[in-house]
């Protein structure tokens, strides 16, 4: 046999992960860090095992059996091994429970676990995120009966009592625009609310509960008339007959995740609060799942980069390892710098969430969290895809070969930009957040992060924020221009915030003799912060072959 190329090896995701180590050292008291490390080490072990298992086994996907041999409707879903292990593993290591402990670091400690577990989970993290979001929305609702009933299950540390929750919003007409929801809530003769309708993307259909948007019968049109309901899906060991699984989705990626189309045919339901303003009531859930999305996108980038970096030391071409080829090394370092910015922003959101929920946040931090959540979600969602594409290219033709496990990284990464609101929906959400406070909270935070920071970074970040402020000064009457530029604005703000966070990290590391973070900052700044777009409406109309007027309505 001729030459055989050595395959890439995955380094231990926790023991070799210097960014997370540095973050926890900076942000957590030593005693808390010590208590956390055993869980992180175990989740890192699991991630390594899952990678090795995947390399020696045939890939499985979930299978739906709708009818048994005798004609009974069963809607049974067989899950992959990682999904079967999910409840045991995540309750044992308190993945969700840790995020709801009563201290300001709870969310950081939760998301450190999520970061290490996510890729190995085969997107079991998706229903976990929704369960976390449901727990948060229930707490916000103050509905004591539902809190008492569901929270002990959602936050259980015992797999036998643990429940997963779904989030049933998306319908065929009301996708991003949930105001078009057609599912109806009707009270039966006993006063019990029941849901009737069709939900088009149900990612946690194997769960025991869900939060669902529905229109109380007789309520008006639009999103304000929607209500938010809690439902349970099981009757003992049987799925309730009023919940029918129509089929599993045939998706580009996340194929281990059994996303389903479902029918609700009178499923019992309980309103969380008032029988209106369901979008407002579900917003705490959305903001939590968007934070998960950002952390998981960053974890996905970390995996792609770790494999590409390892391979660069094993693969020789033109007489030397790839890592010694200047252009290849440059490519990897560029990816690393962008990843470090995204990591810093996503984990800042995690820390802010913990402080705001615990009540220990500074006065500007609630508004800051409201803005940084969509920014982190939308930027990391796009970046994960770009980094995975680049990482596959680092393997040449092998990156295109299915059983290396690499193409799956790229296919799966596409989901982060779509889930929980597309890039454009999230850019408009950032405008919603900015409408309250403008750039005030962000400027206050950036000034604090940049204290004692590198002068070049201060200059570049201030210039980017000033340019963003000019765009925000668009007269309110010209809403079309503001919206057309919303993505460029959001990306500029995300990059500026990330640069300031990298500067903070660089200053902290410098005092410990570590020059790495400063290199990440320099490289990140070199890629530029400004992403404001040319939004000339006449040009847009010409390029799209439509009248200018139709763009302004
Ligand atoms: C591994 C990682 C896992 C991650 C989880 C993966 C799960 C994947 C499954 C899914 O993807 S489920 C589908 C997710 N769908 C979405 O995220 C919907 C995307 N669409 C939007 O976000 C729209 O912008 C929105 C539905 C919110 C528009 O609804 P409306 O009702 O037309 O918006 P409106 O009228 O501006 O807002 C209604 C209220 O909600 C307002 O409050 P008030 O009534 O007090 O004025 C808003 O301020 C409030 N609101 C909206 N978004 C908010 C928010 N409040 C706080 N935070 C937000 N993000």
């Amino acid at each position: 046999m001729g030459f055989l190329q050595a395959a890439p090896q995955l380094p231990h995701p926790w023991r070799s992960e210097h960014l997370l180590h540095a973050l926890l050292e900076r942000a957590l008291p030593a005693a808390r860090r010590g208590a956390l490390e055993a869980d992180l080490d175990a989740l890192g072990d699991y991630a390594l095992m899952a990678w090795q298992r995947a390399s020696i086994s045939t890939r499985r996907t979930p299978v739906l059996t709708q009818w048994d041999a005798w004609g009974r409707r069963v809607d049974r879903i067989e899950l992959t091994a990682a999904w079967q292990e999910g409840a045991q593993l995540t309750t044992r290591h308190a993945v969700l429970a840790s995020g709801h402990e009563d201290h300001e670091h709870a969310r950081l400690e939760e998301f450190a676990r999520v970061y290490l577990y996510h890729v190995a989970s085969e997107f079991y993290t998706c229903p976990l995120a929704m369960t976390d979001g449901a727990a948060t929305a229930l707490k916000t609702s103050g509905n004591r009966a539902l809190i008492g009933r569901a929270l002990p299950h959602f936050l259980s540390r015992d797999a036998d009592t643990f429940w997963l929750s779904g989030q049933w919003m998306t319908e065929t007409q009301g996708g991003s625009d949930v105001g078009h929801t057609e599912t109806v809530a009707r009270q039966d003769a006993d006063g019990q609310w029941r849901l009737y309708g069709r939900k088009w993307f149900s990612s946690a259909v194997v769960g025991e509960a869900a939060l669902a948007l529905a229109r109380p019968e007789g309520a008006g049109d639009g999103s304000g008339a929607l209500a938010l309901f809690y439902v349970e899906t099981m009757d003992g060991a049987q799925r309730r007959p009023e919940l029918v699984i129509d089929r599993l989705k045939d998706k580009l990626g996340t194929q281990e995740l059994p996303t389903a189309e479902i029918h609700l045919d009178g499923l019992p339901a309980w309103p969380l609060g008032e029988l209106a303003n369901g979008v407002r009531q579900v917003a705490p859930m959305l903001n939590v799942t968007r934070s998960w999305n950002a952390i998981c996108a960053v974890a996905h980038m970390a995996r792609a980069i770790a494999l590409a970096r390892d391979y660069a030391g094993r693969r020789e071409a033109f007489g030397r390892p790839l890592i010694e080829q200047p252009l290849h090394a440059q490519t990897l370092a560029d990816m690393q710098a962008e990843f470090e910015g995204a990591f810093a922003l996503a984990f800042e959101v995690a820390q802010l969430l913990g402080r705001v929920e615990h009540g220990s946040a500074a006065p500007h931090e609630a508004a800051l969290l409201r803005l940084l959540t969509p920014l982190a979600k939308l930027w990391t969602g796009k970046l994960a895809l770009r980094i995975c594409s680049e990482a596959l290219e680092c393997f040449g033709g092998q990156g295109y070969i299915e059983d290396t496990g690499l193409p799956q990284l790229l296919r799966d990464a596409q989901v982060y930009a779509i889930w929980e609101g597309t890039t454009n929906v999230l850019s408009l959400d950032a405008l919603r957040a900015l409408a309250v406070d403008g750039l005030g909270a962000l400027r206050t935070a950036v000034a604090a992060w940049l204290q004692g920071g590198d002068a070049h970074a201060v200059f570049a970040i201030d210039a980017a924020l000033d340019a963003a402020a000019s765009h925000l000064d668009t007269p309110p009457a010209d809403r079309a221009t503001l919206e057309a530029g919303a993505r460029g604005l959001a990306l500029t703000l995300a990059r500026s915030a990330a640069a300031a966070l990298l500067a903070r990290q660089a200053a902290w590391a410098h005092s410990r003799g570590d020059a790495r973070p400063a290199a990440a900052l320099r490289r990140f700044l070199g890629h530029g912060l400004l992403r404001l777009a040319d939004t000339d409406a006449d040009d847009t109309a010409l390029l799209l072959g439509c009248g200018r007027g139709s763009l302004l309505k």
Side-chain angles (χ1 to χ4, degrees), residues 301-432:
M301 294 178 216
R303 172 63 60 93
I305 291 175
L307 292 171
R309 171 68 186 82
D310 178 84
Y311 190 67
R314 294 175 194 279
R315 172 72 180 166
E316 281 199 18
F318 306 108
R320 24 182 199 174
L322 294 181
I323 195 71
E324 292 175 20
Q325 309 273 0
L327 184 51
H328 195 79
Q330 169 77 15
T331 304
L332 288 172
D334 283 343
M335 290 158 69
Q336 180 70 24
E338 289 291 307
F339 159 67
E340 295 201 14
F343 178 98
L345 185 58
F347 273 98
E348 190 63 25
V349 168
Q351 291 173 83
L352 280 169
L353 182 61
R355 283 203 292 278
V356 169
E357 287 180 339
H358 182 249
S360 51
H364 67 285
E365 287 190 327
L368 182 67
L369 173 66
R370 176 69 186 90
L371 175 62
L372 291 189
T373 303
L375 295 184
K377 192 281 179 190
L378 72 92
W379 176 44
T380 57
K382 279 294 195 205
L383 187 60
L385 197 54
R386 219 178 82 208
I387 289 212
C388 286
S389 171
E390 196 70 73
L392 259 58
E393 204 175 324
C394 291
F395 293 89
Q398 284 300 99
Y400 207 62
I401 297 303
E402 204 54 62
D403 60 0
T404 59
L406 298 166
Q408 189 185 341
L409 281 175
L410 181 60
R411 275 201 311 275
D412 286 348
Q414 179 68 55
V415 85
Y416 302 115
I418 295 174
W419 260 350
E420 295 299 329
T422 60
T423 309
N424 285 354
V425 166
L426 270 288
S427 301
L428 297 176
D429 188 53
L431 285 187
R432 213 188 255 117

Side-chain angles (χ1 to χ4, degrees), residues 45-102:
D45 287 348
Y46 182 81
L48 203 52
M49 179 283 293
W51 166 255
Q52 285 156 358
R53 179 169 67 184
S55 70
I56 53 164
S57 49
T58 307
R59 193 166 168 217
R60 309 246 177 250
T61 52
V63 177
L64 169 66
T65 302
Q66 289 174 305
W67 306 95
D68 77 4
W70 305 97
R72 283 183 197 83
R73 183 91 197 205
V74 286
D75 287 355
R76 186 179 65 240
I77 300 177
E78 287 156 65
L79 297 166
T80 64
W83 272 67
Q84 291 174 38
E85 291 156 1
Q88 281 287 351
L89 187 79
T90 58
T91 52
R92 186 181 324 130
H93 298 295
V95 174
L96 292 193
S98 62
H100 291 261
E101 285 173 1
D102 188 17

Side-chain angles (χ1 to χ4, degrees), residues 166 168 183-188 191-199 202 204-205 207-214 229-235 238-245 262-271:
W168 296 347
T183 296
V184 169
R186 198 175 292 148
Q187 271 177 307
D188 66 17
Q192 172 66 56
W193 286 98
R194 293 180 179 273
L195 304 189
Y196 299 84
R198 187 184 193 194
K199 295 288 178 182
S202 170
V205 77
E208 288 78 7
L211 296 191
L213 283 175
F229 290 90
Y230 166 83
V231 298
E232 289 179 10
T233 63
M234 304 298 285
D235 183 6
Q238 302 293 320
R239 185 171 287 110
R240 294 193 67 98
E242 305 94 337
L243 168 57
V244 181
I245 301 178
I262 58 174
H263 260 98
L264 309 176
D265 190 17
L267 187 67
W270 293 265

Side-chain angles (χ1 to χ4, degrees), residues 169-170 176 223 280 283 287 290 370 419-421 429 432:
M169 300 206 314
T170 309
S176 298
S223 85
R280 190 197 300 157
N287 290 333
R290 288 170 184 175
R370 176 69 186 90
W419 260 350
E420 295 299 329
D429 188 53
R432 213 188 255 117

Side-chain angles (χ1 to χ4, degrees), residues 146-223:
L146 293 182
I147 291 171
R149 175 153 181 97
L151 239 61
H153 293 291
F154 292 169
L155 304 181
S156 174
R157 293 168 189 254
D158 174 358
D160 291 339
T161 56
F162 178 63
W163 286 1
L164 279 177
S165 170
Q167 169 193 344
W168 296 347
M169 300 206 314
T170 309
E171 301 194 0
T172 48
Q173 192 182 1
S176 298
D177 187 1
V178 302
H180 290 291
T181 294
E182 290 176 337
T183 296
V184 169
R186 198 175 292 148
Q187 271 177 307
D188 66 17
D190 298 327
Q192 172 66 56
W193 286 98
R194 293 180 179 273
L195 304 189
Y196 299 84
R198 187 184 193 194
K199 295 288 178 182
W200 192 236
F201 278 93
S202 170
S203 292
V205 77
V206 292
E208 288 78 7
L211 296 191
L213 283 175
R215 196 174 301 284
E217 196 171 37
D221 294 336
S223 85

Side-chain angles (χ1 to χ4, degrees), residues 541 546-553:
C546 60
R548 187 179 196 274
S550 66
L551 296 175
L552 295 175
K553 282 180 189 147

